[in-house]
PDB file of all heavy atoms in Angstrom:
ATOM      1  N   ALA A   1      27.362  -3.904   0.410  1.00  0.00           N
ATOM      2  CA  ALA A   1      26.134  -3.883   1.281  1.00  0.00           C
ATOM      3  C   ALA A   1      25.430  -2.669   0.996  1.00  0.00           C
ATOM      4  O   ALA A   1      25.865  -1.834   0.418  1.00  0.00           O
ATOM      5  CB  ALA A   1      26.470  -4.147   2.651  1.00  0.00           C
ATOM      6  N   GLY A   2      24.226  -2.747   1.463  1.00  0.00           N
ATOM      7  CA  GLY A   2      23.375  -1.415   1.393  1.00  0.00           C
ATOM      8  C   GLY A   2      21.971  -1.614   1.863  1.00  0.00           C
ATOM      9  O   GLY A   2      21.711  -2.639   2.588  1.00  0.00           O
ATOM     10  N   GLU A   3      21.111  -0.766   1.471  1.00  0.00           N
ATOM     11  CA  GLU A   3      19.805  -0.691   2.022  1.00  0.00           C
ATOM     12  C   GLU A   3      18.846  -0.210   0.995  1.00  0.00           C
ATOM     13  O   GLU A   3      19.093   0.709   0.261  1.00  0.00           O
ATOM     14  CB  GLU A   3      19.734   0.198   3.306  1.00  0.00           C
ATOM     15  CG  GLU A   3      18.356   0.196   4.018  1.00  0.00           C
ATOM     16  CD  GLU A   3      18.299   1.057   5.237  1.00  0.00           C
ATOM     17  OE1 GLU A   3      19.350   1.863   5.455  1.00  0.00           O
ATOM     18  OE2 GLU A   3      17.464   0.909   6.070  1.00  0.00           O
ATOM     19  N   ALA A   4      17.761  -0.991   0.853  1.00  0.00           N
ATOM     20  CA  ALA A   4      16.615  -0.609  -0.051  1.00  0.00           C
ATOM     21  C   ALA A   4      15.499  -0.052   0.719  1.00  0.00           C
ATOM     22  O   ALA A   4      15.176  -0.708   1.779  1.00  0.00           O
ATOM     23  CB  ALA A   4      16.214  -1.772  -0.846  1.00  0.00           C
ATOM     24  N   LEU A   5      15.009   1.072   0.238  1.00  0.00           N
ATOM     25  CA  LEU A   5      13.825   1.757   1.012  1.00  0.00           C
ATOM     26  C   LEU A   5      12.744   2.002   0.046  1.00  0.00           C
ATOM     27  O   LEU A   5      12.880   2.547  -1.035  1.00  0.00           O
ATOM     28  CB  LEU A   5      14.365   3.036   1.554  1.00  0.00           C
ATOM     29  CG  LEU A   5      15.343   2.996   2.651  1.00  0.00           C
ATOM     30  CD1 LEU A   5      16.301   4.229   2.589  1.00  0.00           C
ATOM     31  CD2 LEU A   5      14.721   2.860   4.053  1.00  0.00           C
ATOM     32  N   LEU A   6      11.545   1.553   0.392  1.00  0.00           N
ATOM     33  CA  LEU A   6      10.349   1.687  -0.350  1.00  0.00           C
ATOM     34  C   LEU A   6       9.558   2.791   0.386  1.00  0.00           C
ATOM     35  O   LEU A   6       9.223   2.735   1.481  1.00  0.00           O
ATOM     36  CB  LEU A   6       9.528   0.434  -0.559  1.00  0.00           C
ATOM     37  CG  LEU A   6       8.382   0.529  -1.542  1.00  0.00           C
ATOM     38  CD1 LEU A   6       8.919   0.837  -2.984  1.00  0.00           C
ATOM     39  CD2 LEU A   6       7.588  -0.752  -1.623  1.00  0.00           C
ATOM     40  N   VAL A   7       9.344   3.945  -0.426  1.00  0.00           N
ATOM     41  CA  VAL A   7       8.613   4.978   0.132  1.00  0.00           C
ATOM     42  C   VAL A   7       7.123   4.938  -0.333  1.00  0.00           C
ATOM     43  O   VAL A   7       6.852   5.071  -1.495  1.00  0.00           O
ATOM     44  CB  VAL A   7       9.170   6.346  -0.285  1.00  0.00           C
ATOM     45  CG1 VAL A   7       8.493   7.620   0.377  1.00  0.00           C
ATOM     46  CG2 VAL A   7      10.686   6.364  -0.026  1.00  0.00           C
ATOM     47  N   ILE A   8       6.136   4.715   0.626  1.00  0.00           N
ATOM     48  CA  ILE A   8       4.720   4.444   0.253  1.00  0.00           C
ATOM     49  C   ILE A   8       3.787   5.525   0.995  1.00  0.00           C
ATOM     50  O   ILE A   8       3.967   5.593   2.304  1.00  0.00           O
ATOM     51  CB  ILE A   8       4.326   3.107   0.655  1.00  0.00           C
ATOM     52  CG1 ILE A   8       5.252   1.940   0.135  1.00  0.00           C
ATOM     53  CG2 ILE A   8       2.885   2.677   0.142  1.00  0.00           C
ATOM     54  CD1 ILE A   8       5.073   0.550   0.729  1.00  0.00           C
ATOM     55  N   LYS A   9       2.853   6.084   0.231  1.00  0.00           N
ATOM     56  CA  LYS A   9       2.001   6.937   0.860  1.00  0.00           C
ATOM     57  C   LYS A   9       0.823   6.176   1.435  1.00  0.00           C
ATOM     58  O   LYS A   9       0.109   5.411   0.722  1.00  0.00           O
ATOM     59  CB  LYS A   9       1.449   7.962  -0.164  1.00  0.00           C
ATOM     60  CG  LYS A   9       0.647   9.094   0.417  1.00  0.00           C
ATOM     61  CD  LYS A   9       0.347  10.185  -0.566  1.00  0.00           C
ATOM     62  CE  LYS A   9      -0.242  11.499   0.084  1.00  0.00           C
ATOM     63  NZ  LYS A   9      -0.461  12.587  -0.790  1.00  0.00           N
ATOM     64  N   ARG A  10       0.552   6.310   2.738  1.00  0.00           N
ATOM     65  CA  ARG A  10      -0.345   5.560   3.443  1.00  0.00           C
ATOM     66  C   ARG A  10      -1.815   5.606   2.889  1.00  0.00           C
ATOM     67  O   ARG A  10      -2.528   4.777   2.653  1.00  0.00           O
ATOM     68  CB  ARG A  10      -0.352   5.877   4.888  1.00  0.00           C
ATOM     69  CG  ARG A  10       0.744   5.382   5.654  1.00  0.00           C
ATOM     70  CD  ARG A  10       0.720   5.433   7.165  1.00  0.00           C
ATOM     71  NE  ARG A  10       0.544   6.805   7.559  1.00  0.00           N
ATOM     72  CZ  ARG A  10       1.626   7.708   7.887  1.00  0.00           C
ATOM     73  NH1 ARG A  10       2.927   7.151   7.702  1.00  0.00           N
ATOM     74  NH2 ARG A  10       1.531   8.867   8.247  1.00  0.00           N
ATOM     75  N   SER A  11      -2.110   6.917   2.510  1.00  0.00           N
ATOM     76  CA  SER A  11      -3.454   7.206   2.032  1.00  0.00           C
ATOM     77  C   SER A  11      -3.739   6.576   0.655  1.00  0.00           C
ATOM     78  O   SER A  11      -4.903   6.517   0.279  1.00  0.00           O
ATOM     79  CB  SER A  11      -3.742   8.803   1.985  1.00  0.00           C
ATOM     80  OG  SER A  11      -2.726   9.341   1.147  1.00  0.00           O
ATOM     81  N   ASN A  12      -2.695   6.106  -0.043  1.00  0.00           N
ATOM     82  CA  ASN A  12      -2.954   5.447  -1.271  1.00  0.00           C
ATOM     83  C   ASN A  12      -3.013   3.921  -1.125  1.00  0.00           C
ATOM     84  O   ASN A  12      -3.135   3.290  -2.210  1.00  0.00           O
ATOM     85  CB  ASN A  12      -1.723   5.767  -2.131  1.00  0.00           C
ATOM     86  CG  ASN A  12      -1.792   7.118  -2.867  1.00  0.00           C
ATOM     87  OD1 ASN A  12      -2.805   7.845  -2.697  1.00  0.00           O
ATOM     88  ND2 ASN A  12      -0.717   7.717  -3.392  1.00  0.00           N
ATOM     89  N   LEU A  13      -2.853   3.361  -0.054  1.00  0.00           N
ATOM     90  CA  LEU A  13      -2.876   1.913   0.098  1.00  0.00           C
ATOM     91  C   LEU A  13      -4.240   1.393  -0.155  1.00  0.00           C
ATOM     92  O   LEU A  13      -4.421   0.211  -0.479  1.00  0.00           O
ATOM     93  CB  LEU A  13      -2.404   1.563   1.545  1.00  0.00           C
ATOM     94  CG  LEU A  13      -0.895   1.725   1.875  1.00  0.00           C
ATOM     95  CD1 LEU A  13      -0.624   1.398   3.258  1.00  0.00           C
ATOM     96  CD2 LEU A  13      -0.159   0.770   0.947  1.00  0.00           C
ATOM     97  N   GLU A  14      -5.265   2.187   0.079  1.00  0.00           N
ATOM     98  CA  GLU A  14      -6.627   1.714  -0.248  1.00  0.00           C
ATOM     99  C   GLU A  14      -6.712   1.258  -1.761  1.00  0.00           C
ATOM    100  O   GLU A  14      -7.399   0.257  -2.190  1.00  0.00           O
ATOM    101  CB  GLU A  14      -7.692   2.728   0.087  1.00  0.00           C
ATOM    102  CG  GLU A  14      -9.113   2.233  -0.078  1.00  0.00           C
ATOM    103  CD  GLU A  14     -10.150   3.215   0.461  1.00  0.00           C
ATOM    104  OE1 GLU A  14      -9.730   4.230   1.038  1.00  0.00           O
ATOM    105  OE2 GLU A  14     -11.256   2.984   0.262  1.00  0.00           O
ATOM    106  N   THR A  15      -5.995   2.069  -2.611  1.00  0.00           N
ATOM    107  CA  THR A  15      -5.959   1.603  -4.034  1.00  0.00           C
ATOM    108  C   THR A  15      -5.383   0.327  -4.259  1.00  0.00           C
ATOM    109  O   THR A  15      -5.885  -0.476  -5.006  1.00  0.00           O
ATOM    110  CB  THR A  15      -5.117   2.685  -4.821  1.00  0.00           C
ATOM    111  OG1 THR A  15      -5.898   3.904  -4.757  1.00  0.00           O
ATOM    112  CG2 THR A  15      -5.105   2.344  -6.363  1.00  0.00           C
ATOM    113  N   ILE A  16      -4.302   0.053  -3.581  1.00  0.00           N
ATOM    114  CA  ILE A  16      -3.578  -1.237  -3.603  1.00  0.00           C
ATOM    115  C   ILE A  16      -4.476  -2.378  -3.192  1.00  0.00           C
ATOM    116  O   ILE A  16      -4.587  -3.511  -3.688  1.00  0.00           O
ATOM    117  CB  ILE A  16      -2.289  -1.196  -2.975  1.00  0.00           C
ATOM    118  CG1 ILE A  16      -1.417  -0.091  -3.399  1.00  0.00           C
ATOM    119  CG2 ILE A  16      -1.504  -2.620  -2.933  1.00  0.00           C
ATOM    120  CD1 ILE A  16      -1.143  -0.318  -4.970  1.00  0.00           C
ATOM    121  N   ALA A  17      -5.204  -2.196  -2.078  1.00  0.00           N
ATOM    122  CA  ALA A  17      -6.100  -3.121  -1.462  1.00  0.00           C
ATOM    123  C   ALA A  17      -7.218  -3.557  -2.523  1.00  0.00           C
ATOM    124  O   ALA A  17      -7.506  -4.701  -2.746  1.00  0.00           O
ATOM    125  CB  ALA A  17      -6.763  -2.642  -0.138  1.00  0.00           C
ATOM    126  N   LYS A  18      -7.802  -2.622  -3.241  1.00  0.00           N
ATOM    127  CA  LYS A  18      -8.772  -2.862  -4.204  1.00  0.00           C
ATOM    128  C   LYS A  18      -8.164  -3.648  -5.343  1.00  0.00           C
ATOM    129  O   LYS A  18      -8.760  -4.628  -5.892  1.00  0.00           O
ATOM    130  CB  LYS A  18      -9.389  -1.554  -4.730  1.00  0.00           C
ATOM    131  CG  LYS A  18     -10.188  -0.788  -3.715  1.00  0.00           C
ATOM    132  CD  LYS A  18     -10.739   0.540  -4.230  1.00  0.00           C
ATOM    133  CE  LYS A  18     -11.615   1.157  -3.158  1.00  0.00           C
ATOM    134  NZ  LYS A  18     -12.095   2.563  -3.830  1.00  0.00           N
ATOM    135  N   LEU A  19      -6.970  -3.283  -5.850  1.00  0.00           N
ATOM    136  CA  LEU A  19      -6.389  -3.916  -7.004  1.00  0.00           C
ATOM    137  C   LEU A  19      -6.017  -5.355  -6.509  1.00  0.00           C
ATOM    138  O   LEU A  19      -6.062  -6.369  -7.379  1.00  0.00           O
ATOM    139  CB  LEU A  19      -4.957  -3.296  -7.365  1.00  0.00           C
ATOM    140  CG  LEU A  19      -5.356  -1.874  -8.073  1.00  0.00           C
ATOM    141  CD1 LEU A  19      -3.949  -1.237  -8.202  1.00  0.00           C
ATOM    142  CD2 LEU A  19      -5.955  -2.176  -9.466  1.00  0.00           C
ATOM    143  N   MET A  20      -5.655  -5.695  -5.312  1.00  0.00           N
ATOM    144  CA  MET A  20      -5.314  -6.978  -4.822  1.00  0.00           C
ATOM    145  C   MET A  20      -6.599  -7.814  -4.243  1.00  0.00           C
ATOM    146  O   MET A  20      -6.444  -8.882  -3.787  1.00  0.00           O
ATOM    147  CB  MET A  20      -4.263  -6.898  -3.734  1.00  0.00           C
ATOM    148  CG  MET A  20      -2.861  -6.372  -4.203  1.00  0.00           C
ATOM    149  SD  MET A  20      -1.642  -6.211  -2.952  1.00  0.00           S
ATOM    150  CE  MET A  20      -1.375  -7.998  -2.600  1.00  0.00           C
ATOM    151  N   ASP A  21      -7.684  -6.983  -4.336  1.00  0.00           N
ATOM    152  CA  ASP A  21      -8.904  -7.604  -3.858  1.00  0.00           C
ATOM    153  C   ASP A  21      -8.832  -8.134  -2.335  1.00  0.00           C
ATOM    154  O   ASP A  21      -9.272  -9.245  -1.957  1.00  0.00           O
ATOM    155  CB  ASP A  21      -9.395  -8.818  -4.747  1.00  0.00           C
ATOM    156  CG  ASP A  21     -10.875  -9.162  -4.527  1.00  0.00           C
ATOM    157  OD1 ASP A  21     -11.629  -8.265  -4.082  1.00  0.00           O
ATOM    158  OD2 ASP A  21     -11.219 -10.271  -4.687  1.00  0.00           O
ATOM    159  N   MET A  22      -8.205  -7.223  -1.556  1.00  0.00           N
ATOM    160  CA  MET A  22      -8.096  -7.638  -0.054  1.00  0.00           C
ATOM    161  C   MET A  22      -9.200  -6.905   0.755  1.00  0.00           C
ATOM    162  O   MET A  22      -9.333  -5.670   0.565  1.00  0.00           O
ATOM    163  CB  MET A  22      -6.639  -7.137   0.302  1.00  0.00           C
ATOM    164  CG  MET A  22      -5.486  -7.983  -0.218  1.00  0.00           C
ATOM    165  SD  MET A  22      -3.865  -7.509   0.168  1.00  0.00           S
ATOM    166  CE  MET A  22      -3.974  -7.990   1.973  1.00  0.00           C
ATOM    167  N   GLN A  23      -9.860  -7.573   1.492  1.00  0.00           N
ATOM    168  CA  GLN A  23     -11.014  -7.090   2.255  1.00  0.00           C
ATOM    169  C   GLN A  23     -10.561  -6.880   3.713  1.00  0.00           C
ATOM    170  O   GLN A  23      -9.672  -7.474   4.247  1.00  0.00           O
ATOM    171  CB  GLN A  23     -12.203  -7.995   2.274  1.00  0.00           C
ATOM    172  CG  GLN A  23     -12.548  -8.474   0.885  1.00  0.00           C
ATOM    173  CD  GLN A  23     -13.147  -7.339   0.045  1.00  0.00           C
ATOM    174  OE1 GLN A  23     -13.730  -6.376   0.513  1.00  0.00           O
ATOM    175  NE2 GLN A  23     -12.735  -7.319  -1.252  1.00  0.00           N
ATOM    176  N   GLY A  24     -11.183  -5.897   4.395  1.00  0.00           N
ATOM    177  CA  GLY A  24     -11.003  -5.616   5.842  1.00  0.00           C
ATOM    178  C   GLY A  24     -10.572  -4.050   6.079  1.00  0.00           C
ATOM    179  O   GLY A  24     -10.661  -3.326   5.201  1.00  0.00           O
ATOM    180  N   GLN A  25     -10.413  -3.743   7.355  1.00  0.00           N
ATOM    181  CA  GLN A  25     -10.182  -2.458   7.771  1.00  0.00           C
ATOM    182  C   GLN A  25      -8.682  -1.992   7.286  1.00  0.00           C
ATOM    183  O   GLN A  25      -7.798  -2.788   7.395  1.00  0.00           O
ATOM    184  CB  GLN A  25     -10.237  -2.281   9.346  1.00  0.00           C
ATOM    185  CG  GLN A  25     -11.666  -2.544   9.831  1.00  0.00           C
ATOM    186  CD  GLN A  25     -12.659  -1.467   9.334  1.00  0.00           C
ATOM    187  OE1 GLN A  25     -12.294  -0.332   9.222  1.00  0.00           O
ATOM    188  NE2 GLN A  25     -13.805  -1.849   8.902  1.00  0.00           N
TER     189      GLN A  25
END
């Protein structure tokens, strides 16, 4: 057993939103 952890910088999520073409606040 184990645990997977994804470490994501919140201020970089806007880049992902643009790449995924996701609109909104």
Side-chain angles (χ1 to χ4, degrees):
E3 186 173 12
L5 294 148
L6 190 63
V7 185
I8 308 170
K9 193 169 187 178
R10 290 190 293 275
S11 58
N12 283 348
L13 286 173
E14 188 172 350
T15 298
I16 300 303
K18 290 178 181 177
L19 289 170
M20 295 179 67
D21 196 25
M22 294 178 66
Q23 308 296 324
Q25 295 295 319

